[in-house]
């Protein structure tokens, strides 16, 4: 498989954020429309973004801004801590797909991640993440997630297994 998995090692502090669930295309790949996928555990951006940004800072360079569509996020913080720096968070309503996470770095560029809904069942989430991280995939976020009703939901949390 040509995808890679980045999982943040669990922190010994039990109050720390859990590992980040995502798959990314290799850095050298022609990225297409999306750079991978992220499967947050909740719809709480203030809780979810710091761990994600910490992992991506190491991989892609310092993330300085994040943008989401407010449709799927009940609260959007203006800033979130990310290690030794702070990330600005913004939103676009009509201009950004509800399932897209836009990440910006002043020095390195822009990345788009498919956001797999937190309530998505693990089998469907795994399929979506693999599809988004496939180097041969040229689909947009909208093409990968054409209809929210196509995402099967689960009522219980399942442990994440690296693919």
């Amino acid at each position: 498989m040509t995808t890679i998995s980045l999982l943040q090692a669990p922190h010994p502090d039990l109050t720390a954020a859990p590992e980040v669930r995502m798959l990314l295309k290799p850095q050298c790949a022609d990225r297409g429309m999306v750079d991978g996928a992220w499967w947050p555990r909740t719809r709480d951006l203030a809780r979810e973004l710091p761990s994600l940004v910490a992992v991506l800072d190491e991989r892609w360079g310092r993330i300085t801004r994040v943008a989401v569509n407010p449709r799927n996020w009940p609260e959007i913080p203006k800033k979130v801590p990310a290690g030794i720096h702070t990330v600005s968070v913004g939103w676009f309503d009509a201009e950004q797909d509800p399932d897209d996470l836009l990440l910006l770095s002043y020095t390195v560029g822009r990345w788009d991640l498919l956001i797999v809904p937190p309530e998505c069942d693990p089998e469907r989430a795994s399929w979506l993440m693999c599809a988004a991280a496939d180097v041969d995939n040229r689909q947009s976020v909208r093409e990968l997630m054409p209809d929210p009703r196509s995402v099967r939901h689960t009522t219980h949390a399942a442990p994440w297994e690296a693919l």
Side-chain angles (χ1 to χ4, degrees):
M1 179 177 260
T2 56
T3 59
I4 58 171
S5 174
L6 292 180
L7 299 176
Q8 184 180 15
H11 192 281
D13 178 2
L14 296 177
T15 62
E19 65 186 25
V20 177
R21 303 183 297 183
M22 77 172 109
L23 282 176
L24 302 174
K25 289 181 180 175
Q27 283 185 304
C28 61
D30 175 16
R31 299 183 338 218
M33 299 293 288
V34 296
D35 301 292
W38 174 49
W39 186 21
R41 287 177 171 73
T42 68
R43 292 195 182 274
D44 182 351
L45 278 175
R47 180 171 182 237
E48 299 285 343
L49 280 178
S51 295
L52 174 70
V53 170
V55 171
L56 293 177
D57 275 354
E58 291 178 23
R59 176 81 179 150
W60 286 338
R62 182 175 283 199
I63 304 298
T64 55
R65 302 185 72 78
V66 173
V68 296
N69 182 306
R71 184 166 127 200
N72 292 325
W73 304 99
E75 292 183 34
I76 299 174
K78 291 183 180 184
K79 295 187 180 288
V80 294
I84 60 170
H85 71 288
T86 302
V87 175
S88 297
V89 181
W91 57 272
F92 296 100
D93 195 356
E95 300 87 356
Q96 187 170 353
D97 191 282
D99 299 307
D100 178 48
L101 178 71
L102 170 63
L103 300 135
L104 298 170
S105 168
Y106 289 130
T107 58
V108 184
R110 169 191 173 144
W111 298 273
D112 288 273
L113 296 179
L114 169 72
I115 302 170
V116 177
E119 56 280 348
C120 186
D121 78 76
E123 183 180 328
R124 176 73 173 156
S126 178
W127 183 91
L128 287 166
M129 293 177 76
C130 286
D134 184 342
V135 294
D136 295 323
N137 176 18
R138 298 292 181 251
Q139 292 177 301
S140 68
V141 167
R142 183 159 302 175
E143 291 168 324
L144 286 164
M145 291 279 289
D147 183 351
R149 294 169 293 186
S150 69
V151 177
R152 296 189 309 262
H153 295 72
T154 184
T155 56
H156 63 280
W160 170 252
E161 295 177 5
L163 302 172

